[in-house]
Amino acid sequence: MSSDTTTLTGSTGREVGVNKVPIWRRRKAAANYIALLPYVFFALFPFYIMGITSIKTDEEINNLGQSPFWATGIATEHYVYLANNTSFFNHWFVNTLIVTVAVTIISVSIGTLAAYALARLRFRGVEVFGVAVFITYLIPQTLLFIPLIDVINTIDEVVPIRDTYWSLILTYPTFLIPFVTWLLMGYFKTIPVEVEECAYLDGCSRLGALIRVVLPMAIPGIMCAILFSITLSWNELLYSLVFIQNETAKTISVGVITELIRGDIYYWGSLMAACFIGALPIIMIYGFFMDYFTSGLTAGAIK
Amino acid sequence: MAEIQLRDLWKYYDDVAAVRGINLDIEHNEFIALVGPSGCGKTTTLRMIAGLEDITAGDISVGDRIVNEVAPKDRDIAMVFQNYALYPHMSVFQNMSFGLKLRKTAKEEIERRVNLAAEILNIEELLERRPKQLSGGQRQRVAMGRAIVRDPQVFLFDEPLSNLDAKLRVQMRTEIKKIHQRVKTTVVYVTHDQVEAMTLADRIVVMNEGVIEQVGSPEEMYDAPETLFVAAFIGSPSMNFIPCRVEANNGGLSVRLSDDLTFPVPGDRNDRYGSCVGKEMLFGIRPEHITDKRPHTDPTHHDFTSDVIVLEPMGIDTMVFINIGETEITTRSRPRAVSQVGETMDFTIDMAHMHLIDPETEKVL
């Protein structure tokens, strides 16, 4: 768009600046943003409290006479404590990262293929299978971890995976694959089948059409699946709590509650510092990829 | 460039037969239109030719090979879809070159062909755009361009114009005709619009309920329909059908359309209709063969009068609705010769263009 203002003479003869935003529209935008402020405050407040508490000294945290909402100075002692006295940076963070990346790759690849098959192929029982996948997703983790321990123990007899992040890489997909499959199944169904058929006629095999045409069109859906997969594995608590006792094999979510809470003593400062750093990657990912979610790449494919 | 043969082709969806044993020979470089109402099996037939649907029984051959088991990608067929089906993540150039790239065509050759097709279709300046930046008509052109660049043996069109507005549809219809004259190839064109079929095709195939009713040139379809369905389907406004009785009188035949209206059958048809004497039949005549009264010497022209019920001015002509017996029929007159609604008007009917249909077999005699 050029910045110079073009003027049109409307049927009323009144001159209307095309590039000029009308005043009512500005007011509406302002009202919308003002209305959003309470939600922004509500959503960011916990994050703020985590951040502000993590840079206070212990004296300041425990001083009940002082408002908890702001800090008088910046103290790095809790971050130093995390680095020197715990395995936060050299183990927990790394473990969480490895598990998250591996689990996301596994779940999204398998889920994508499964979702494509369930959305497109017409084999006997395809609908029952689709519903079965969904029901699998509905079974609560709290029910599944007991039999999964048995699975882990059985595998451990052959390959040592107990008490390592491998047990998590193996078990997280049990809830992520059904989730990703279900999510992408709906997405694939919105992709017009004609575009795919056109790819067949243009010379693609089914796999070729999937890779060259369907997947690029499904990017918003796949990004969404990746995002959910990362969030869910990053935050996962139950399986990692149950399967991992070794301190250096822990993930952030377990490490924080087992090593920074001793009995009834809460190490508030380092606890908040760990949570703050632990939450950062998720927030950054959402910040960067939000647009992908909403880009609506399929626009223009069909009328 | 190839001929297509359909041999006793069947398609079942579960228990429902969509296509019931059709046979069709499409000649090299011929433009064939498959036309019929929704659900008549025309699109299914097209998709079977493309390889997008399995064949339940029968054979399809393209060129001199049977393609029943050949994957769509190896059939050397290009298809234009109703909703265009452009790849939204690719530019127009990439959309058009996709098929060539998969076939590992040299880069210079791809560019030459895409530019040529773009020139034919007048879309040279759109090559860098994405589909969503194009209008409906432009998308339609790109979809055709994508087919043209491949230089396939066969072009398939699946109702390509039905998503366009009326004006653009007429314009693109002419474009398609021009393109076929320039890029000679075998074309199978599916449409439910008989006007499209009439204007574009070398031969028309009318389908109904999974079978072929009739195959022929547009003129044959219009002048000599073989079945009631074809007679009713081709032509707009469609043919009038009036229950009638065939009577014999002093050496000739006549049709009685109502108690006080009978017309002699042209003498050359006496043999054809002789067996129908005394039977209840359907009399078919197109609106343009009943006109306002004109001076005539032709023995097949006859005059009658009737009350005008409704007038529909079309510009060049006016459609006059009248009752014959209990049937309302459409006639076509010059606007200045038309009476007012409710008044009587003189008409001339040209019996040389009449059709006689057996209501039981629904065949035109």
Side-chain angles (χ1 to χ4, degrees), chain B residues 162-296:
Chain B
S162 33
N163 277 0
L164 301 176
D165 63 58
K167 199 177 164 200
L168 204 52
R169 197 178 306 159
V170 175
Q171 199 183 326
M172 287 307 289
R173 202 167 72 195
T174 320
E175 293 278 322
I176 292 179
K177 191 146 194 173
K178 273 192 210 153
I179 290 164
H180 182 243
Q181 281 159 3
R182 200 165 160 187
V183 188
K184 275 279 172 206
T185 185
T186 313
V187 176
V188 185
Y189 187 103
V190 161
T191 175
H192 61 263
D193 181 353
Q194 49 96 17
V195 180
E196 253 171 52
M198 295 283 285
T199 49
L200 285 171
D202 298 324
R203 281 195 304 156
I204 295 178
V205 177
V206 175
M207 291 187 71
N208 183 32
E209 293 181 349
V211 295
I212 291 178
E213 290 271 340
Q214 188 177 348
V215 183
S217 69
E219 296 77 22
E220 282 167 9
M221 295 306 228
Y222 194 78
D223 295 332
E226 287 169 4
T227 65
L228 176 63
F229 181 84
V230 174
F233 192 80
I234 300 285
S236 171
S238 64
M239 192 186 280
N240 298 301
F241 299 101
I242 310 161
C244 71
R245 179 186 287 276
V246 181
E247 296 174 343
N249 50 354
N250 47 18
L253 297 177
S254 62
V255 283
R256 177 165 292 282
L257 301 179
S258 69
D259 293 341
D260 47 5
L261 203 57
T262 117
F263 296 113
V265 170
D268 57 345
R269 302 205 192 185
N270 283 349
D271 291 344
R272 226 157 103 194
Y273 299 155
S275 61
C276 307
V277 174
K279 284 192 194 160
E280 301 289 333
M281 303 293 277
L282 268 182
F283 173 81
I285 189 132
R286 293 201 183 274
E288 64 266 33
H289 299 128
I290 304 178
T291 61
D292 51 286
K293 185 178 172 184
R294 295 172 196 187
H296 54 79

Side-chain angles (χ1 to χ4, degrees), chain B residues 80-357:
Chain B
V80 178
F81 290 84
Q82 180 175 2
N83 54 18
Y84 321 137
L86 301 179
Y87 308 126
H89 57 294
M90 299 183 193
S91 68
V92 168
F93 183 90
Q94 288 167 327
N95 259 285
M96 287 168 72
S97 58
F98 186 65
L100 295 176
K101 239 167 104 186
L102 288 175
R103 288 179 170 74
K104 306 220 167 22
T105 314
K107 211 172 159 220
E108 302 77 46
E109 175 68 6
I110 292 180
E111 274 184 17
R112 191 187 66 76
R113 287 213 218 168
V114 171
N115 288 330
L116 182 69
E119 187 209 309
I120 293 173
L121 292 159
N122 234 334
I123 51 172
E124 290 131 303
E125 69 284 6
L126 305 178
L127 288 176
E128 296 311 316
R129 296 219 198 146
R130 290 285 173 98
K132 68 178 165 196
Q133 296 168 300
L134 304 176
S135 69
Q138 290 169 333
R139 287 180 198 172
Q140 178 64 62
R141 282 165 200 268
V142 176
M144 283 202 283
R146 192 165 58 173
I148 290 173
V149 292
R150 294 230 339 254
D151 192 19
Q153 291 198 62
V154 179
F155 263 115
L156 305 178
F157 287 91
D158 185 9
E159 309 215 8
L161 303 183
S162 33
N163 277 0
L164 301 176
D165 63 58
K167 199 177 164 200
L168 204 52
R169 197 178 306 159
V170 175
Q171 199 183 326
M172 287 307 289
R173 202 167 72 195
T174 320
E175 293 278 322
I176 292 179
K177 191 146 194 173
K178 273 192 210 153
I179 290 164
H180 182 243
Q181 281 159 3
R182 200 165 160 187
V183 188
K184 275 279 172 206
T185 185
T186 313
V187 176
V188 185
Y189 187 103
V190 161
T191 175
H192 61 263
D193 181 353
Q194 49 96 17
V195 180
E196 253 171 52
M198 295 283 285
T199 49
L200 285 171
D202 298 324
R203 281 195 304 156
I204 295 178
V205 177
V206 175
M207 291 187 71
N208 183 32
E209 293 181 349
V211 295
I212 291 178
E213 290 271 340
Q214 188 177 348
V215 183
S217 69
E219 296 77 22
E220 282 167 9
M221 295 306 228
Y222 194 78
D223 295 332
E226 287 169 4
T227 65
L228 176 63
F229 181 84
V230 174
F233 192 80
I234 300 285
S236 171
S238 64
M239 192 186 280
N240 298 301
F241 299 101
I242 310 161
C244 71
R245 179 186 287 276
V246 181
E247 296 174 343
N249 50 354
N250 47 18
L253 297 177
S254 62
V255 283
R256 177 165 292 282
L257 301 179
S258 69
D259 293 341
D260 47 5
L261 203 57
T262 117
F263 296 113
V265 170
D268 57 345
R269 302 205 192 185
N270 283 349
D271 291 344
R272 226 157 103 194
Y273 299 155
S275 61
C276 307
V277 174
K279 284 192 194 160
E280 301 289 333
M281 303 293 277
L282 268 182
F283 173 81
I285 189 132
R286 293 201 183 274
E288 64 266 33
H289 299 128
I290 304 178
T291 61
D292 51 286
K293 185 178 172 184
R294 295 172 196 187
H296 54 79
T297 50
D298 204 315
T300 60
H301 286 57
H302 305 280
D303 300 334
F304 68 99
T305 55
S306 181
D307 292 340
V308 176
I309 298 171
V310 175
L311 293 175
E312 274 185 5
M314 308 272 286
I316 185 163
D317 279 327
T318 295
M319 299 297 157
V320 183
F321 290 75
I322 59 173
N323 269 346
I324 288 188
E326 285 169 4
T327 315
E328 188 178 274
I329 66 161
T330 316
T331 71
R332 191 163 187 158
S333 296
R334 290 169 294 181
R336 58 188 166 77
V338 168
S339 303
Q340 295 301 307
V341 171
E343 293 175 7
T344 57
M345 183 175 154
D346 293 323
F347 294 93
T348 298
I349 184 170
D350 183 0
M351 292 295 281
H353 291 98
M354 67 161 279
H355 302 279
L356 201 61
I357 300 142

